[in-house]
Amino acid sequence: MPAKLRIPTAADAGKKARATIKRARPELYAARQFLDRDIQADLGVRIPFDVYFQDPFVTKSNKAYNFDVEFTVPWEPGLADGPTSARFAIVDYDGATEVLNAPARWNDELAKFVDTKGKVLDRHNLGSAQFRQMNVWATLQNALDFFEAGFGLGRRIDWGFEGNRLIVVPHAGYGQNAFYDRDSKSLQFYYFDAGKEGARKRIHTCLSADIINHEFGHAVLDGIRPLYHESVFAETAAFHEFLGDMSAILIAFRNTVFRSQVAKATGGDLDSDNPLSSLAEEFGRNIGDQDYLRSALNTLKYKDVKDDQRQHYVSQVLTGAMFDIIRRLTAYYMKVRGESVKQALWSTIRRMQCMAVQPLDLLPPADVMFEDYALAVLRAEQIVNPTDPDGYRNLMIDVFLVRGLLSEAKAAELKTPVTVFDRLNVSVFHDPHRIAASRANAYRFLDDNRRDLFIPFAADVVVTDLAMAQKLTVSGRRLPQQILLQYIWREDVLLEGERFGQFAGETTSMLCGGTLALDIDGNCLGWMRKPGTLPLIKGSRKRQAEEEEVKLGKARREAFLNALAARIAAGRIGDGVAGGAAGLLQKSIAPLTAEWVDGNLRFALSPHIGIGGDEDEEMGERPWQISS
């Protein structure tokens, strides 16, 4: 008898479609940069995951802020148990219990991570360590995508250590902290118990998107500007905290449901406390009975903080300034363009990603100051929007002026019309393609043009980074490729006088150099420098600029010595401490450490750069001694 004809079902069709997508996924992955984000999700190149939108406290207090229904992570060929991907490896070792938790397992058929029993890790399976592993990994993957996208840096980023995977420890131990640790190449997330006896609950920092994104901001900055780690300036340490806080704000702001709730709660008026301006609600409420850990809504000015040594406190000026821009942009889109509250908030975040992240590539390689970032923000906007019909640059200049981040004279200078793009004025031309080809080529370009680039002949100049970026405008238009060249040299500085305490008579290093940004046609997009005091080569065609460079170098050396003396006087420098094999929280961690390298004294930021506020640094016998 003939076989009975079987009619294909919808389930068969779905199974066949999934198999087709699975076979085609590597090719789609290779072409993902040409595909819209939604199309990537439809084709299986982006995978949906259930992650907490902000943290469990926010979820319980407002069901609208539940799980992120829009959340997707780019698929990649090497996804494996852990979770493990090309840039992250979850290693779940609990330092308090000395237990290595079983990893979340990757199920290739489901394209999901599952727990030890094979159950999918989602909102219906929250209680396991494996869910927390997946939550922190997926949140980090999303944050990496935010920074590397064309609206951000437009390039792959390196880490600030040797290696390509950042180790992530979701349950690092018991304590009220979370931090990035360069020495152990890791992000460490702690947990603690809070509440009254009999009703205590466990708080996991690895479940707070704000904290995860804040700590990842530290890792990103350490990767693209690793020498900030060596700065003695409290302002540079504060910039690290600013970028962590701004990362948390901007990444949260991209969520459509969240923007809808902010729109409903505020009507577009962001001048009062709201979830957008607040960071780490659950953490803040449970460690100090406060509504949040820090707020971007503040009125601090630069003069209020410039002599302060507490980097978390100092950082709030710059965070507040950028939040002022968010507020003013939203008001502009509503009042001038007539956009709805929801649309105005979307227009704002779309522009803010470009405004806040793209300028990072223009910053100097060492000792960044708040003014440096303000100037980089303004220059980056000028590059992508040279005619500026909406007056964005004047809006930002006014904000920076009010906050004291720019002087009146500098603000007036920046408002004066100038040529937007100039060729780099050097004696020996090098083709930009050849400069970008290797660090050796970039060095020859620098060496051949020392006189015009204000690089002393005696300076042992080193190319510390060379990258190419493909950035986008807010409208998605591709900008010409950018060549990003960082170079430094070290100048010996003798520490003379009692103000240097135990370090008096020692020799340390002051980092000098610059960041040069060119487009592929050779136009100079930015050139931000940190001059030194070594004699320059005479005979430059820029005699006045040469004399100014010498003055700036001398003033910078004096500022360097004063900053170091202030750190020493405040008791904020300790002996070098290691993060430990697992990067676990140590009993005493100085904000700045000292060590000897090849007979020379070097200072560095603490290996642990964390979410904890400045009050943590004031516990114990020294200002920086904290309790584990």
Side-chain angles (χ1 to χ4, degrees):
M1 291 182 63
K4 187 176 181 180
L5 181 64
R6 182 177 180 276
I7 300 174
T9 65
D12 293 330
K15 186 176 181 180
K16 184 177 180 180
R18 288 192 296 271
T20 301
I21 287 176
K22 183 178 178 181
R23 286 196 303 272
R25 194 175 274 150
E27 287 77 14
L28 294 169
Y29 168 78
R32 68 197 181 285
Q33 67 266 37
F34 304 111
L35 301 175
D36 178 81
R37 188 184 180 99
D38 292 336
I39 293 175
Q40 290 183 42
D42 291 341
L43 295 175
V45 188
R46 295 190 71 91
I47 305 171
F49 286 95
D50 282 349
V51 300
Y52 280 110
F53 172 68
Q54 281 192 291
D55 60 41
F57 173 82
V58 175
T59 297
K60 291 174 183 176
S61 61
N62 188 338
K63 293 301 180 185
Y65 302 144
N66 200 333
F67 293 91
D68 194 337
V69 297
E70 300 178 340
F71 195 92
T72 60
V73 167
W75 177 86
E76 56 189 74
L79 291 179
D81 296 355
T84 300
S85 54
R87 306 310 306 280
F88 302 104
I90 306 297
V91 179
D92 198 2
Y93 176 77
D94 189 327
T97 62
E98 299 184 347
V99 169
L100 181 65
N101 291 312
R105 300 206 313 267
W106 173 247
N107 186 308
D108 200 43
E109 289 298 320
L110 298 174
K112 295 284 185 182
F113 284 99
V114 299
D115 64 16
T116 54
K117 297 179 181 179
K119 187 177 179 181
V120 171
L121 295 166
D122 58 18
R123 71 188 67 193
H124 307 296
N125 185 14
L126 303 176
S128 66
Q130 288 73 40
F131 174 82
R132 293 188 287 275
Q133 295 164 7
M134 183 276 293
N135 184 88
V136 69
W137 171 84
T139 304
L140 287 168
Q141 289 282 134
N142 183 64
L144 178 67
D145 195 38
F146 172 83
F147 277 101
E148 291 188 339
F151 299 110
L153 297 175
R155 61 188 178 91
R156 300 294 188 193
I157 61 172
D158 292 320
W159 302 131
F161 50 78
E162 185 177 348
N164 291 303
R165 283 195 177 113
L166 180 63
I167 298 169
V168 183
V169 187
H171 308 95
Y174 192 89
Q176 297 176 351
N177 207 354
F179 54 78
Y180 163 68
D181 182 87
R182 177 199 276 192
D183 288 358
S184 63
K185 309 178 182 182
S186 68
L187 290 173
Q188 305 279 329
F189 297 94
Y190 285 75
Y191 58 86
F192 58 97
D193 296 324
K196 296 179 180 178
E197 201 65 41
R200 294 177 70 76
K201 58 180 179 178
R202 179 143 291 183
I203 307 300
H204 292 274
T205 59
C206 67
L207 292 180
S208 169
D210 286 341
I211 291 178
I212 296 168
N213 292 327
H214 174 100
E215 294 313 316
F216 185 62
H218 288 308
V220 169
L221 186 58
D222 195 41
I224 64 175
R225 291 294 184 277
L227 291 173
Y228 289 178
H229 188 72
E230 233 180 278
S231 179
V232 302
F233 289 91
E235 200 165 321
T236 303
F239 188 81
H240 249 289
E241 297 305 329
F242 153 74
L243 188 63
D245 286 352
M246 188 52 50
S247 300
I249 291 170
L250 294 181
I251 294 172
F253 202 11
R254 288 190 61 84
N255 181 273
T256 302
V257 175
F258 179 64
R259 287 197 309 277
S260 296
Q261 289 297 312
V262 171
K264 182 178 179 181
T266 67
D269 180 3
L270 303 179
D271 291 345
S272 58
D273 281 340
N274 60 79
L276 179 59
S277 65
S278 308
L279 298 175
E281 287 88 346
E282 183 178 48
F283 188 81
R285 284 176 184 264
N286 285 290
I287 66 169
D289 196 25
Q290 55 195 25
D291 288 343
Y292 38 78
L293 188 61
R294 278 190 294 279
S295 174
L297 205 59
N298 64 72
T299 58
L300 288 170
K301 296 185 178 181
Y302 183 69
K303 63 181 177 61
D304 300 325
V305 305
K306 66 183 181 68
D307 297 322
D308 205 291
Q309 294 296 312
R310 299 168 295 168
Q311 61 256 30
H312 294 87
Y313 174 69
V314 174
S315 73
Q316 293 181 84
V317 175
L318 193 51
T319 305
M322 295 305 287
F323 196 75
D324 287 347
I325 294 173
I326 290 174
R327 293 156 61 195
R328 292 185 62 171
L329 283 175
T330 302
Y332 172 82
Y333 290 130
M334 292 172 61
K335 295 175 182 177
V336 178
R337 289 192 177 180
E339 295 182 358
S340 67
V341 178
K342 290 182 181 179
Q343 183 58 45
L345 290 172
W346 171 239
S347 297
T348 298
I349 183 52
R350 214 169 37 156
R351 183 161 291 277
M352 282 302 300
Q353 184 178 6
C354 295
M355 280 183 170
V357 179
Q358 290 184 354
L360 297 175
D361 273 338
L362 303 180
L363 294 177
D367 293 341
V368 68
M369 299 292 142
F370 290 175
E371 184 186 42
D372 295 333
Y373 182 69
L375 294 174
V377 167
L378 293 167
R379 177 55 179 162
E381 179 62 23
Q382 190 177 40
I383 292 168
V384 301
N385 184 22
T387 59
D388 195 18
D390 296 288
Y392 294 130
R393 290 186 81 247
N394 284 345
L395 180 156
M396 291 188 289
I397 289 171
D398 290 343
V399 167
F400 293 142
L401 184 60
V402 168
R403 290 280 182 165
L405 301 174
L406 294 176
S407 66
E408 294 275 2
K410 193 66 178 179
E413 177 189 334
L414 290 166
K415 289 185 177 183
T416 304
V418 295
T419 302
V420 176
F421 297 107
D422 285 317
R423 305 286 287 186
L424 191 64
N425 186 13
V426 293
S427 301
V428 183
F429 174 77
H430 283 240
D431 184 272
H433 292 83
R434 288 187 58 81
I435 294 173
S438 71
R439 293 195 184 196
N441 284 359
Y443 167 75
R444 286 305 301 265
F445 161 72
L446 295 172
D447 190 67
D448 288 346
N449 293 287
R450 282 179 183 255
R451 176 178 287 111
D452 298 307
L453 298 176
F454 308 126
I455 300 174
F457 180 76
D460 182 16
V461 66
V462 176
V463 175
T464 55
D465 195 30
L466 181 65
M468 293 193 69
Q470 181 64 75
K471 292 181 170 65
L472 302 175
T473 66
V474 173
S475 61
R477 177 176 58 85
R478 286 190 172 202
L479 294 167
Q481 280 189 309
Q482 298 179 5
I483 300 164
L484 307 167
L485 168 59
Q486 294 181 58
Y487 59 94
I488 64 104
W489 68 89
R490 293 179 181 274
E491 287 193 7
D492 287 345
V493 177
L494 180 62
L495 304 180
E496 296 180 289
E498 294 181 359
R499 62 178 179 154
F500 297 109
Q502 62 177 312
F503 305 115
E506 299 288 351
T507 299
T508 189
S509 294
M510 182 174 74
L511 290 169
C512 311
T515 296
L516 188 59
L518 306 172
D519 69 19
I520 207 67
D521 297 318
N523 294 309
C524 183
L525 305 178
W527 183 23
M528 196 169 285
R529 305 184 301 282
K530 292 294 174 177
T533 58
L534 292 175
L536 298 177
I537 307 170
K538 299 299 181 183
S540 170
R541 293 168 292 168
K542 312 169 186 175
R543 179 57 59 85
Q544 185 175 350
E546 194 175 81
E547 292 174 354
E548 182 64 24
E549 195 81 358
V550 171
K551 291 180 183 177
L552 291 173
K554 291 179 179 178
R556 184 166 171 260
R557 184 181 185 277
E558 190 63 28
F560 172 86
L561 291 171
N562 289 338
L564 179 56
R567 289 289 223 183
I568 293 169
R572 299 177 73 84
I573 301 180
D575 295 333
V577 294
L584 301 178
L585 184 65
Q586 303 247 337
K587 189 74 174 177
S588 300
I589 306 169
L592 203 66
T593 64
E595 61 181 354
W596 278 258
V597 179
D598 298 328
N600 220 22
L601 184 63
R602 288 191 189 177
F603 298 95
L605 296 180
S606 165
H608 300 158
I609 308 175
I611 192 75
D614 297 307
E615 67 278 359
D616 290 337
E617 297 166 3
E618 296 172 0
M619 297 169 63
E621 296 177 1
R622 300 186 184 183
W624 47 264
Q625 188 166 337
I626 66 176
S627 171
S628 60

